[in-house]
């Protein structure tokens, strides 16, 4: 398949009534930590410059499940306001596509988590997903294996949210202690599917209870049309997409969750595919044509290629029709090509704080 479109094409789209305020979200990696069972003893770490000047208590490597063979060590790092009592909670689900091989903490995840904690929001950064090269591959595997593994990783993320909520004290997910889930990249897919559609139990989860319902999901740079599968799954592409993305099931999503959707065009340059509405790339993923209709309404076929900006705008159309979309935002220009960057982290922190404000 051919690639199309560069930064200028995306920049040109900012003109006209669909222009949106530039913003972006959530870290690029979530490194797998070598964690001791139950997590380390919390230590007081300086959180750097931030509006409140609040100190942050950091607990690294809190284990939330036992890892199946070939999976990353399932842990999270917890960032707590030192003097917040029973604060609201945010759970960050980073992009596992890079996080499992990063070899350490993702600097952007840490910076965002510390900033949120300093603003009074208890924050967990989840390390999740598979580690072995065989399991990380999509191309060359039977579709049913990929679908089953995708469902299990969604269940793992749901488990992580449940354990993180339990570790931050009682009543998380109630109006008194609202919960926001933040996802980036493949983490946006897993977070959205886990908290919006629900997930089966993860067999080795350390918290057997139900996952608290978040008030909001803040999702950036998601792979909503399953580009990771390329054309490799054939007729299994539709089943994979249903397990991997909430878009095909948007009409069944709960109406009580506020969804913020966004895309950083700079980070995703070169990922456009030359397809039309009747191409096999779409008909295998969307045999009923609902997603293709959303793409057409978003103007995604106007230049003969689909890129992540097109897909995000089209998913926003589906969410808006279902009464779920709170906001759709984009980043264009020269800033933050690979990471969140400081201005993006500030905008994300502001969004989460506003969503959790009493």
């Amino acid at each position: 398949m051919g690639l199309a479109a560069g930064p200028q094409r995306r920049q040109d789209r900012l003109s006209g009534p669909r222009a949106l305020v530039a913003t972006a979200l959530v870290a690029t990696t979530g490194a797998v930590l070598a964690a001791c069972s139950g997590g380390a003893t919390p230590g007081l770490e300086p959180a750097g410059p931030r509006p409140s000047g609040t100190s942050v208590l950091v607990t690294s490597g809190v284990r939330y499940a036992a890892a199946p063979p070939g999976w990353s060590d399932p842990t999270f790092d917890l960032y707590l306001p030192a003097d917040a009592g029973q604060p609201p909670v945010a759970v960050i689900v980073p992009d596992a596509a890079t996080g499992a091989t990063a070899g350490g903490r993702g600097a952007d995840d840490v910076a965002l988590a510390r900033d949120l904690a300093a603003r009074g929001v208890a924050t967990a950064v989840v390390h999740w997903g598979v580690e072995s090269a065989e399991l990380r591959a999509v191309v060359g595997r039977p579709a049913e294996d990929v679908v089953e593994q995708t469902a299990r990783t969604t269940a793992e993320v749901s488990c992580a949210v449940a354990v993180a909520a339990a570790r931050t004290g009682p009543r998380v997910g109630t109006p008194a202690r609202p919960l926001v889930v933040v996802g980036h990249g493949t983490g946006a897919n897993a977070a959205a599917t886990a908290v919006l559609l629900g997930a089966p139990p993860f067999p080795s989860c350390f918290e057997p209870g139900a996952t608290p319902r978040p008030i909001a999901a803040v999702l950036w740079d998601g792979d909503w049309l399953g580009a990771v599968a390329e054309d490799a799954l054939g007729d299994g592409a539709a089943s994979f997409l249903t397990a991997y993305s909430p878009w095909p099931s948007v009409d069944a999503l709960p109406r009580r969750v506020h969804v913020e959707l966004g895309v950083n065009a700079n980070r995703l340059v070169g990922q456009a595919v030359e397809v039309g509405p009747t191409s096999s790339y779409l008909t295998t993923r969307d045999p009923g044509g609902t997603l293709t209709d959303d793409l057409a309404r978003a103007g995604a076929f106007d230049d003969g290629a689909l890129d992540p900006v097109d897909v995000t705008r089209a998913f926003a159309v589906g969410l808006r029709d279902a009464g779920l979309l709170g906001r759709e935002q984009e980043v264009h220009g020269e800033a933050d090509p690979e990471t969140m960057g400081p201005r993006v982290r500030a905008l994300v922190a502001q969004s989460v704080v506003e969503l959790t404000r009493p």
Side-chain angles (χ1 to χ4, degrees):
M1 66 187 65
L3 297 180
Q8 184 60 45
R9 180 168 71 87
R10 291 180 173 85
Q11 182 68 40
D12 290 344
R13 290 181 181 181
L14 283 178
S15 61
R18 289 185 60 80
L20 299 168
V21 177
T23 156
L25 190 64
V26 186
T28 313
T29 63
V32 179
L33 300 179
C36 56
S37 179
T41 302
L44 187 63
E45 295 189 7
R50 48 185 56 82
S52 65
T54 302
S55 296
V56 176
L57 294 166
V58 181
T59 306
S60 298
V62 180
R63 194 182 301 277
Y64 60 84
W71 288 49
S72 303
D73 197 20
T75 63
F76 59 81
D77 299 340
L78 192 59
Y79 298 78
L80 297 176
D83 56 359
Q86 293 188 356
V89 176
V91 179
I92 300 172
V93 186
D95 186 359
T98 53
T101 58
R105 290 178 176 87
D108 296 308
D109 301 319
V110 170
L112 176 61
R114 286 181 172 174
D115 191 23
L116 287 172
R119 294 171 184 242
V121 181
T123 304
V125 180
V126 176
H127 306 277
W128 68 286
V130 297
E131 188 169 37
S132 74
E134 179 183 0
L135 294 178
R136 290 170 68 84
V138 174
V139 178
R141 297 176 59 195
E144 56 270 24
D145 290 355
V146 177
V147 171
E148 190 273 339
Q149 180 179 300
T150 301
R152 291 182 72 194
T153 53
T154 299
E156 181 194 11
V157 167
S158 181
C159 164
V161 173
V163 176
R167 283 296 299 262
T168 56
R171 299 192 300 162
V172 174
T174 69
R177 298 194 66 197
L179 169 67
V180 174
V181 176
V182 175
H184 178 259
T186 55
N189 285 66
T193 305
V195 303
L196 296 177
L197 288 173
F202 192 61
S204 61
C205 186
F206 294 167
E207 177 57 51
T211 301
R213 182 177 296 278
I215 62 163
V218 182
L219 310 167
W220 277 75
D221 292 345
D223 180 17
W224 308 119
L225 199 54
V228 68
E230 301 180 4
D231 287 317
L233 299 181
D235 291 340
S239 296
F240 166 71
L241 191 62
T242 300
Y244 181 67
S245 168
W247 190 4
S249 307
V250 67
D251 290 334
L253 300 181
R255 300 301 188 266
R256 297 190 299 276
V257 180
H258 172 100
V259 178
E260 291 196 6
L261 197 65
V263 59
N264 183 349
N266 310 292
R267 182 178 173 271
L268 301 168
V269 167
Q271 296 188 22
V273 292
E274 294 176 355
V275 298
T278 60
S279 68
S280 62
Y281 185 91
L282 284 177
T283 58
T284 55
R285 286 166 166 75
D286 180 34
T290 302
L291 311 189
T292 304
D293 289 345
D294 291 343
L295 287 162
R297 291 170 59 196
F301 302 116
D302 291 353
D303 59 2
L306 292 182
D307 65 22
V309 176
D310 294 321
V311 172
T312 300
R313 289 176 175 177
F315 183 29
V317 169
L319 287 169
R320 191 175 293 113
D321 286 351
L324 283 162
L325 185 69
R327 179 162 51 181
E328 188 242 339
Q329 300 180 97
E330 300 173 6
V331 167
H332 295 258
E334 298 300 324
D336 305 328
E338 297 295 339
T339 66
M340 278 193 305
R343 75 181 175 94
V344 172
R345 291 197 303 267
L347 290 167
V348 174
Q350 180 180 354
S351 180
V352 172
V353 169
E354 288 175 354
L355 287 165
T356 57
R357 182 174 296 155

